[in-house]
Amino acid sequence: MIKVRGFKNSAVSEKVPFWLDPKKRAILFQIMTFCMVGLLAYYLTSNTLLNLKKQNIATGFSFLHKESSFEIGESLIPYSAANTYARALLVGALNTIKVAFIGIVITIILGTIIGVARLSTNWIVSKLAAIYIEVMQDLPVLLQLFFWYAIFYETLPPPREAISPTAGLFMSNRGVAFAVPEGHPAHLYMFLAFAAGCGIVYLMRRWARKRQEKTGQIFPVFFVSIGILVGFPLLTWLVFGAPLEMNVPKLGGFNFEGGLTVSPEFIALLLGLVLYTAAFVAEVVRAGIQSVSKGQREAAMAIGLRPAPVLNLVILPQALRVIVPPLTSQMLNLTKNSSLAVAIGYPDFVSVANTTINQTGQSIEGVAIIMAVYLFFSLSTSVFMNRYNKRVALVER
Amino acid sequence: MEQAVQVKELRPPITHIGVIGWVKTNLFNGVFNSILTVATLFFLWKVVPPLLRWAVIDSAWHTTGEACRQAAGACWSVISMNYRFILFGFYPYEQQWRPLLAMLILFGLLFYSRDRSHWKKPLAYAWIIGLFTMGLLMTGGIFGLSSVESTQWGGLPLTLLLAVFGLTAAYPLGVILALGRRSRMPGVKILCILYIELIRGVPLISLLFMSSIIFPLFLPEGVTFNKILRAQAAIILFTAAYIAEVVRGGLQGMARGQYEAAESMGLNYYLTMRLVILPQALKIVIPPTVSILISAFKDTSLVVIIALFDLLKTTQSVLSNPEWMGFSREAYVFIAILYFLGCFSMSNYSRKLEKELSRGD
Amino acid sequence: MNIEKKANEGQMIEFIDVHKWFGEFHVLQGINLSVDKQERIVICGPSGSGKSTLIRCINRLEEHQRGRIVVDGIELTNNIKNIEKIRAEVGMVFQHFNLFPHLTIVQNLSLGPIWVRKVPKKEAEETAMYYLDKVHIAEQARKYPGQLSGGQQQRVAIARSLCMNPKVMLFDEPTSALDPEMIKEVLDVMIELAREGMTMIVVTHEMGFARSVAHRVLFMDFGKIVEGNRPEEFFKNPQHERTRLFLSQILH
């Protein structure tokens, strides 16, 4: 057997100086980077501690247990100035969730409608949608918020002369008051009927699918589901004698009493966020639908599928894969933009945190809390997004 | 076998071409579309004439606030009587030709840069000189120009400054972050990922708060940071993270073959990036970069919250004047038009650029 | 070919003085064509001649503006019911396969039978496996289109159309998007199909296929059928200058 003397031996016998060895250089570079960052951090921290001491500002999070001594304009849970800062922040967070949740739902619906309209074969509708998308995207969201807030303040009349487009709806510069159904035992049963309807619809869909697999017959699941979800509560309502009493807002003193009132701040924030974000969602939806190649639709039609199954079985599954990731990032943008509420006085999380910072002077802890909360939302959304993408990824070689 | 009869020159059926054909296919094809067309036209007929009446016919163009309140329509006087303040903020009245000139230089440079055939070294120098000149014009203090403190800068020049300078400074930082994120050195990679994810996860407002309230704490006593500089720093740090993600996309999109070819030529990391990878990657991501510029332009409006006198805040100051109170609609519509013109021209340009780039010239 | 012709019962497909315009562009200029049951026709011609448009009119992927088209006795009009009936009888294979990427191969094939012919799932899948076997690709049944090569995808596309039990198969340049080494496997499947007596209209440049399988070869140019003949006659004695020119360009 011939022993081959070769490269292996020669590489070992040469000693490479550490500043030319790429691996060691990498380690050196990282050590230097860390040192620089560390030094910078040390410098900044020591300055900060010194300055805080000079200005007599406390550190730490103990302020959270102190009394807040400020009121909050609107709140989902009971709150007063005697509560702690922690509770105040909770109120702010709930307000943010409230506007974000409602905003997201409306934005998705509106954005989808506009996106589909943009693709319509009707020239007027498609052009109007295009104009909306272009204009709304090109105006700063803060400007839009101020605009809607100003409309409320300057254009709408005081409650005495409130505009009432229909009975039970009053628009004034103190907000929008509308009638709500008066509490009635029927409501509980209607809700139960609806829940039961949901259960039945779920079971029915499973049954219909099994039936189709077995016999091939197609059951009109969609229409029957709608019938059940609407019909059950409706029937319950009728059974209870069709109670129609409404809690109508009535002018009492300076403002409306009764019914449900929504503040101008909330409506302005909601309007501004929804109209702005819907333009971006419309583009996402449009791009998603257009991403499905024309040939897919043609192949589905060539087999003889009708328009509804073509949409449900072929187009939508492919379009949704393209739509969902940027859609969630738009939803996240809406949530982040809701922080602008501080500019128009809606008590969202940033607003409350800002007041807290102003009162306690503990800006570092305050800003850190704000960032932590939003980071939590962003990162958890990222995680879900990654999982979703992995699950629906088209399998390729 | 062939056609025995010559086919006469036939015209397509009249309902398919010309004006009638267009109307039929685009407005009235099918029952649903026809109803939609009629409904939309009705809606427009109800909304547009009253709007025009308010905006143009009944409006007051150049009067005092009192006279404006008498007018039934829009009060455009709130703009025409106050435009100097809205556009230039607290900048000294007689010296306002300087920010005006600076803006004209900026617009000139932008306009000239639109044509890609102009993108050569001289243009880069022109930009550097141009930006420097703009800074000089604004600050003054030499060449016989009176000195104007940056605390007096405001209005449109401030908005443009924050956006343009923000993007210019954020760009190299973003590229470095993107390279760092793709680095094989775990230490560097982690630092970059932390930075990018942290900044992208929080709203800009929190960074602006941080910069205006917390940055002063970072500095030793006596050293102050100009308020504009603090806001500018926040905008730069914010934009850099988004640029980093966009550039990372471009780097990922580059074929491995490019890296390998450069490596086999013996180029080191720095040269590979500078000569081979970055020129291509950055070119691919120009359209999303322009869209970041558009966002930066819109986001400058947020400085109103930390009381910097950009275009939005100067407008609001005018509105808080008792004489002009209550005309927010008109004032906001005016600056909406300004923002729209800016953003629209940029997004139009980006679309045009995307078309050009995908055609491969 | 006669110009004035009544729709004949024995014909599979009938084009009677069919015209189509794209805006002002006259893409089909008076097409008269009649295809018998079990007849196999190859249509060739330069790009832009209207050959794809012609076959796409058969299953209403394109609408004609003048003249009449009759498929298996059913006239093609704006009547949706007729269109759907015709589409169930006519299978189409596209140049770019157009398989549904989010469904497995078996799901691609059983989609039509389940949702159009309302066949139970088990039966649909059995039919699918039968045709997959026929095109020699049964082992890929559970895979996704993205995992197959071009030739394999096109064979699956052919099987997908066959699952609907069509009376006519239309092929729109089925091998134009394939790498050379995969063209043969697709053509072999088409030849087997021909041997079983399927009525076929094929738009293609594969003249070898035309020679071995077609009953008639038609040459189209500028929206007209210039000439058509049995393959031997067509290739040996083209009657028109344009036909001669075209043949000289593709048979080199």
Side-chain angles (χ1 to χ4, degrees), chain A residues 66-347:
Chain A
K66 297 219 186 80
E67 196 178 293
S68 69
S69 44
F70 63 89
E71 292 291 345
I72 297 184
E74 45 187 297
S75 166
L76 284 173
I77 57 177
Y79 169 84
S80 76
N83 290 120
T84 59
Y85 282 116
R87 191 169 177 88
L89 287 173
L90 181 63
V91 169
L94 287 175
N95 281 340
T96 296
I97 294 179
K98 178 170 106 178
V99 77
F101 184 74
I102 300 180
I104 287 178
V105 169
I106 302 182
T107 303
I108 294 184
I109 298 176
L110 183 63
T112 309
I113 294 179
I114 300 180
V116 170
R118 178 77 181 81
L119 291 173
S120 164
T121 47
N122 187 320
W123 184 84
I124 298 187
V125 167
S126 140
K127 273 287 174 287
L128 282 178
I131 293 178
Y132 175 93
I133 293 175
E134 188 66 52
V135 170
M136 284 312 187
Q137 283 190 344
D138 287 341
L139 298 178
V141 61
L142 191 55
L143 176 62
Q144 298 189 35
L145 287 185
F146 282 137
F147 181 77
W148 295 116
Y149 197 48
I151 293 271
F152 258 95
Y153 255 91
E154 294 174 5
T155 318
L156 286 181
R160 297 261 165 112
E161 304 148 31
I163 303 176
S164 185
T166 67
L169 180 67
F170 300 98
M171 309 204 312
S172 71
N173 63 9
R174 298 291 292 274
V176 173
F178 46 94
V180 286
E182 189 77 60
H184 193 280
H187 293 155
L188 176 64
Y189 290 102
M190 283 170 70
F191 178 71
L192 287 175
F194 182 76
C198 287
I200 294 184
V201 163
Y202 175 71
L203 290 173
M204 176 187 68
R205 284 180 56 151
R206 288 186 55 173
W207 166 82
R209 203 187 32 211
K210 285 219 162 53
R211 178 170 173 255
Q212 181 179 15
E213 283 180 16
K214 241 209 198 92
T215 69
Q217 293 171 288
I218 301 178
F219 190 77
V221 175
F222 182 68
F223 291 109
V224 173
S225 305
I226 297 215
I228 291 181
L229 290 176
V230 169
F232 274 31
L234 192 62
L235 273 172
T236 324
W237 181 71
L238 284 172
V239 162
F240 273 85
L244 267 182
E245 287 87 44
M246 302 286 264
N247 191 347
V248 183
K250 276 197 249 300
L251 196 52
F254 285 119
N255 204 350
F256 283 94
E257 283 158 21
L260 187 65
T261 308
V262 196
S263 70
E265 287 82 12
F266 179 79
I267 296 196
L269 184 62
L270 193 65
L271 258 181
L273 287 176
V274 165
L275 292 179
Y276 178 74
T277 317
F280 290 90
V281 169
E283 281 291 272
V284 167
V285 168
R286 180 182 72 87
I289 296 181
Q290 282 186 321
S291 76
V292 183
S293 76
K294 208 172 94 162
Q296 289 291 301
R297 198 161 160 269
E298 291 182 348
M301 291 201 302
I303 307 185
L305 286 173
R306 306 178 128 223
V310 168
L311 200 65
N312 282 333
L313 299 172
V314 176
I315 309 286
L316 275 185
Q318 298 184 59
L320 279 176
R321 278 173 171 82
V322 177
I323 290 179
V324 169
L327 184 67
T328 41
S329 99
Q330 284 305 324
M331 297 302 100
L332 212 57
N333 280 346
L334 187 142
T335 311
K336 284 194 279 180
N337 280 336
S338 71
S339 59
L340 296 177
V342 68
I344 58 172
Y346 175 77

Side-chain angles (χ1 to χ4, degrees), chain B residues 27-293:
Chain B
L27 296 180
F28 290 105
N29 67 336
V31 178
F32 182 67
N33 268 340
S34 309
I35 299 180
L36 216 54
T37 305
V38 171
T40 317
L41 285 175
F42 176 73
F43 170 75
L44 287 175
W45 176 74
K46 273 246 156 221
V47 165
V48 173
L51 204 63
L52 281 177
R53 226 199 343 257
W54 172 81
V56 179
I57 304 176
D58 290 339
S59 56
W61 287 87
H62 201 76
T63 65
T64 62
E66 266 313 302
C68 242
R69 274 174 238 278
Q70 316 289 359
C75 174
W76 298 117
S77 319
V78 70
I79 315 283
S80 58
M81 302 295 282
N82 295 301
Y83 72 93
R84 294 281 288 250
F85 182 75
I86 292 179
L87 288 179
F88 297 111
F90 287 112
Y91 211 86
Y93 199 79
E94 311 76 45
Q95 304 289 326
Q96 280 176 359
W97 61 269
R98 286 159 52 183
L100 182 64
L101 187 58
M103 287 201 294
L104 287 175
I105 295 180
L106 180 66
F107 292 147
L109 281 170
L110 281 171
F111 196 73
Y112 193 71
S113 307
R114 295 182 75 196
D115 191 340
R116 278 182 46 226
S117 59
H118 294 158
W119 291 11
K120 297 198 197 70
K121 263 236 165 69
L123 185 62
Y125 289 136
W127 267 97
I128 297 180
I129 298 179
L131 285 170
F132 197 63
T133 319
M134 283 185 253
L136 269 181
L137 275 172
M138 295 290 285
T139 20
I142 58 173
F143 296 141
L145 296 169
S146 61
S147 179
V148 179
E149 286 273 327
S150 66
T151 43
Q152 293 180 287
W153 299 2
L156 191 54
L158 183 61
T159 298
L160 288 171
L161 169 83
L162 288 172
V164 172
F165 202 72
L167 188 75
T168 319
Y171 200 77
L173 181 57
V175 170
I176 294 177
L177 284 169
L179 291 173
R181 180 155 181 171
R182 281 175 59 83
S183 159
R184 273 172 289 194
M185 294 186 271
V188 172
K189 186 168 172 165
I190 293 179
L191 274 178
C192 290
I193 293 182
L194 279 177
Y195 178 90
I196 295 175
E197 292 304 316
L198 182 89
I199 301 284
R200 278 165 49 95
V202 299
L204 177 56
I205 189 87
S206 59
L207 287 171
L208 284 174
F209 279 166
M210 186 174 86
S211 77
S212 69
I213 309 173
I214 299 184
F215 276 6
L217 291 175
F218 284 162
L219 302 168
E221 188 152 5
V223 179
T224 48
F225 241 102
N226 176 320
K227 200 166 193 182
I228 295 184
L229 227 53
R230 280 180 262 155
Q232 182 77 87
I235 293 182
I236 292 177
L237 290 176
F238 185 72
T239 314
Y242 287 85
I243 291 189
E245 277 299 275
V246 159
V247 171
R248 183 170 81 101
L251 289 173
Q252 266 180 327
M254 300 258 347
R256 272 202 60 132
Q258 294 292 311
Y259 291 94
E260 290 172 356
E263 227 172 54
S264 47
M265 273 170 50
L267 295 176
N268 65 12
Y269 181 79
Y270 167 68
L271 284 176
T272 309
M273 286 304 157
R274 204 193 92 180
L275 299 175
V276 177
I277 305 294
L278 284 180
Q280 297 182 59
L282 294 182
K283 178 170 139 174
I284 298 176
V285 299
I286 289 181
T289 309
V290 174
S291 114
I292 292 183
L293 175 61

